[in-house]
Amino acid sequence: MSFEVPEDCRYLESHEWARPENGTVRVGISDFAQDELGDVVFVELPDEGDQIEREEAFGVVESIKAVSDIYAPVAGTVVEVNDALVNEPELVNEDPYGEGWMVAVEPEGDLEGLLSPAEYREQTE
Amino acid sequence: MSLRQSPLRSAHEATGADFTDFGGWEMPVDFDSIRTEHAAVRDSAGKFDVSHMGQVVVSGPDAAALTGRLTTNDVQELGPGEAQYAAITDESGVMLDDTVVYRLPDGWDGEYLFVPNAGHDGEMTDRWVGHRDRWGLEATVENRTEAYAMVAVQGPEARDLADRETEADLGSLGRFEVTATRVAGADALVARTGYTGEDGVEVVCEVEDAGAVWSAAGCRPCGLGARDTLRIEAGFLLSGQDFHPEEEPRTPYEAGIGFAVALETEFVGRDALAAVADDGPAELLVGLTLDERGVPRHGYPVESPDGERVGHVTSGTMSPTLGEPIGLAYLPRAYDEPGREVCVVVRDEPKKAHVTATPFLS
């Protein structure tokens, strides 16, 4: 089975994606990650204004079968949180790179050091 | 150590199953999604490969005496073609495993079959053989786990579905009854048992017939993930999680299966359990429902509303049927009162919960 790995994102080995957008970075978990987790039932996210640290856990995603930390691909300040996930956590399964995004971050530093789409694709094959 | 594999392993792989290690077996955790599979069993029917469950056949003049002295229920009361749920306890009454004991019908090889949990078959066979020798009983004990496959078909439509593939009249097969028949052209045992809280059957056949039996069950394949959510909703125990001889040593009374203890019979652990039976256990496995967002998981602490630790969660999930987070926890007996407020500590944060009667689904 092949998983979607959009070209406009960079990735963490722990399966989070980061997409630069007008000075902020949008963050979520990959298609591979949502498939591994199975039915997502609950997402715990930081508040707007919180500071998150690169490669440190900033939230939790729970599926029926497992609970997993979500790691930050970039350090920075959370400027937007996807509140739709409160009532519709299944968006993470249905549209992991779109409606299932988790936070937008005003980054400190750049996306250097994250995996390219090709590198991430290789990791999940 | 390499994992044991079901005879249906390649069939599952071809269907796109995800696998997990369960009791030393590599078994499908889901085929599509746990939610879809769970719903199929509640609404219509689903099939499970449960070949990882142990299969131990006990025969000979003392087969009933031996099995009766090693299980908590009354084996002597089983007629041919009847089955019962039981615990297997040590001298102190602590559960080593839970099992279903079948008294086999005529036409099937052997007299009694009991089904230990995944990975317990070797240990339980040794236990039967050791006690047989110590007690000087005449019985043969054979671990047939590798020789038999087991398929569970569960759900409101399961029995009708199975009826079409068997020569037996399953309509007249009562709960916890078992018959020897043919399924999809193969010799098989069909028992009206299962672990989902739904009606259904479990089919035991030789491993070479597993593929035919599996294909003949024309319903959605389901994995261990759905089996786990279904059994929690039904309030059934998961061996190794809701009880474990070292990590969670519990008596059948604490685990809420006192109905499977026949104190009028002689069995290992009987005296210890008789002593508990009079006063009742100090702690009981109770159902919990979370009132706040979160999911109770194995090992999470349970506190009283004023923050005193009173117990811990042994199993928990988001109930696919109820859409609520539910769990099982050992708590002091005083808490066994539906509606009683407690807190489940989810990642250091106490979340409001209340005691709920089990089964969660009536």
Side-chain angles (χ1 to χ4, degrees):
Chain A
M1 180 161 183
S2 72
F3 295 97
E4 197 189 341
V5 180
E7 289 298 324
D8 60 352
C9 298
R10 304 289 295 270
Y11 300 86
L12 265 186
E13 275 177 22
S14 51
H15 308 291
E16 291 80 5
W17 55 262
R19 180 192 290 129
E21 285 179 359
N22 309 321
T24 65
V25 174
R26 201 172 285 257
V27 174
I29 66 168
S30 72
D31 187 24
F32 175 86
Q34 70 76 25
D35 185 75
E36 283 285 296
L37 283 165
D39 307 283
V40 172
V41 293
F42 177 56
V43 184
E44 195 174 284
L45 295 174
D47 294 323
E48 260 179 49
D50 284 359
Q51 184 73 20
I52 63 175
E53 298 302 327
R54 180 161 165 155
E55 291 185 33
E56 286 188 10
F58 70 90
V60 170
V61 57
E62 299 223 28
S63 67
I64 289 176
K65 68 184 174 194
V67 47
S68 301
D69 285 327
I70 320 163
Y71 295 90
V74 286
T77 306
V78 175
V79 291
E80 207 181 341
V81 177
N82 187 359
D83 292 327
L85 298 183
V86 173
N87 294 318
E88 294 176 274
E90 62 274 15
L91 291 173
V92 175
N93 294 118
E94 291 163 7
D95 191 8
Y97 300 106
E99 298 288 309
W101 67 278
M102 291 176 175
V103 292
V105 179
E106 191 175 277
E108 291 163 9
D110 53 31
L111 302 185
E112 289 304 309
L114 293 174
L115 300 176
S116 69
E119 286 165 334
Y120 182 66
R121 198 172 288 118
E122 201 170 301
Q123 188 195 306
T124 55
E125 269 169 5
Chain B
M1 202 175 75
S2 68
L3 293 172
R4 298 165 80 179
Q5 291 192 347
S6 156
L8 294 165
R9 171 70 173 73
S10 54
H12 300 329
E13 194 166 18
T15 327
D18 294 322
F19 291 87
T20 189
D21 169 7
F22 189 84
W25 289 72
E26 188 179 33
M27 297 301 289
V29 62
D30 55 43
F31 290 83
D32 178 11
S33 93
I34 293 174
R35 197 190 293 277
T36 314
E37 293 163 25
H38 182 108
V41 174
R42 290 278 179 249
D43 299 340
S44 51
K47 59 181 174 181
F48 300 82
D49 177 8
V50 283
S51 300
H52 60 302
M53 299 295 287
Q55 311 271 340
V56 184
V57 173
V58 191
S59 303
D62 294 326
L66 175 62
T67 306
R69 286 169 67 173
L70 289 170
T71 56
T72 57
N73 216 333
D74 184 1
V75 171
Q76 302 284 353
E77 75 173 13
L78 290 176
E82 292 179 349
Q84 67 186 190
Y85 179 62
I88 299 166
T89 47
D90 66 11
E91 285 291 347
S92 59
V94 163
M95 291 174 69
L96 305 175
D97 207 352
D98 63 347
T99 190
V100 174
V101 179
Y102 299 89
R103 182 164 172 191
L104 296 174
D106 293 341
W108 189 264
D109 189 21
E111 287 162 57
Y112 291 87
L113 166 73
F114 73 95
V115 179
N117 280 287
H120 291 219
D121 52 311
E123 174 199 339
M124 288 303 145
T125 304
D126 291 348
R127 184 173 178 79
W128 257 244
V129 168
H131 281 80
R132 175 198 65 191
D133 295 346
R134 194 176 316 159
W135 293 332
L137 295 176
E138 200 179 326
T140 57
V141 182
E142 296 167 273
N143 186 352
R144 297 271 179 87
T145 306
E146 305 289 339
Y148 290 160
M150 193 171 183
V151 173
V153 187
Q154 301 279 295
E157 294 170 12
R159 215 149 39 110
D160 283 348
L161 208 77
D163 216 13
R164 282 179 234 148
E165 299 297 333
T166 58
E167 291 176 5
D169 171 20
L170 297 185
S172 61
L173 193 70
R175 295 282 284 175
F176 276 80
E177 287 184 2
V178 55
T179 185
T181 181
R182 290 176 73 76
V183 177
D187 286 328
L189 279 177
V190 178
R192 198 166 156 213
T193 50
Y195 220 62
T196 60
E198 295 296 330
D199 195 4
V201 296
E202 291 180 298
V203 180
V204 176
C205 63
E206 303 279 347
V207 289
E208 52 267 32
D209 298 322
V213 169
W214 180 253
S215 310
C219 54
R220 183 181 284 278
C222 303
L224 290 174
R227 193 157 186 260
D228 190 45
T229 52
L230 289 156
R231 70 91 202 166
I232 290 192
E233 287 182 350
F236 295 152
L237 304 175
L238 182 60
S239 166
Q241 201 164 302
D242 299 318
F243 65 90
H244 183 287
E246 286 94 40
E247 290 158 24
E248 191 70 77
R250 296 290 177 176
T251 66
Y253 293 119
E254 290 173 292
I257 57 161
F259 63 87
V261 179
L263 284 179
E264 68 280 13
T265 65
E266 279 300 321
F267 60 86
V268 173
R270 187 256 163 214
D271 294 347
L273 291 178
V276 182
D278 288 338
D279 297 335
E283 292 189 334
L284 278 174
L285 190 65
V286 305
L288 295 179
T289 304
L290 235 63
D291 302 316
E292 295 185 73
R293 292 164 50 73
V295 184
R297 303 273 183 192
H298 180 78
Y300 285 7
V302 179
E303 294 181 345
S304 67
D306 46 17
E308 184 200 351
R309 180 164 176 164
V310 291
H312 58 272
V313 173
T314 55
S315 288
T317 193
M318 178 67 80
S319 158
T321 308
L322 300 166
E324 291 176 337
I326 60 171
L328 298 171
Y330 284 103
L331 295 181
R333 195 168 60 183
Y335 283 83
D336 183 29
E337 187 188 312
R340 181 85 190 240
E341 287 180 13
V342 290
C343 292
V344 174
V345 183
V346 179
R347 294 181 288 278
D348 298 328
E349 207 178 310
K351 306 266 187 185
K352 281 186 185 166
H354 65 272
V355 173
T356 308
T358 56
F360 292 96
L361 281 191
S362 50

